[in-house]
Amino acid sequence: MIERQIERRIRRKIGTGKAIIVMGARKTGKTTLLKKIFSDNTLWLNADEQELDCLEVSDGRLSTCEFKWSPDARAKFSKAFAEAYPGSTFRVIHRDNFDE
């Protein structure tokens, strides 16, 4: 793989306590570059997938959720997220179950 100039800049930003956001046109290698830089244990999200409102790691397991006001609102677990993080769980939190 060709080392991109941006790779060095990203590596210098790791551990600074700031979010690293990589933006650009589709199919230009952003995800491939980030997978090269970061380990398999790094959480990464992309704007092409369905949003997640919360992420939690407990006992080494990743749980995700989406907040909806209505108990009847539809929410769908992102297929790409599920494939990237096998064993993760997803639930919808709404006004009738927020305190469970």
Side-chain angles (χ1 to χ4, degrees):
M1 176 184 282
I2 299 170
E3 182 178 354
R4 309 277 182 202
Q5 290 181 353
I6 191 73
E7 182 176 344
R8 285 178 285 215
R9 292 179 68 192
I10 292 171
R11 288 185 185 280
R12 283 196 302 266
K13 299 289 182 183
I14 295 170
T16 63
K18 306 247 179 184
I20 299 170
I21 300 171
V22 178
M23 296 173 56
R26 292 175 53 86
K27 302 294 183 182
T28 57
K30 298 177 299 293
T31 300
T32 301
L33 175 65
L34 294 175
K35 284 182 176 182
K36 176 184 175 194
I37 293 171
F38 295 98
S39 72
D40 291 338
N41 295 325
T42 300
L43 174 66
W44 56 274
L45 303 173
N46 71 55
D48 290 338
E49 300 301 328
Q50 189 170 0
E51 75 178 67
L52 296 171
D53 293 327
C54 69
L55 298 166
E56 178 182 41
V57 177
S58 178
D59 297 325
R61 298 197 55 145
L62 182 63
S63 300
T64 63
C65 66
E66 190 168 332
F67 297 106
K68 299 288 186 190
W69 175 251
S70 171
D72 300 323
R74 302 184 100 192
K76 188 172 128 185
F77 192 26
S78 164
K79 180 180 176 185
F81 190 90
E83 289 173 356
Y85 301 98
S88 59
T89 60
F90 174 78
R91 73 182 193 132
V92 178
I93 298 174
H94 51 76
R95 67 178 183 241
D96 293 343
N97 73 355
F98 73 92
D99 59 352
E100 292 177 2

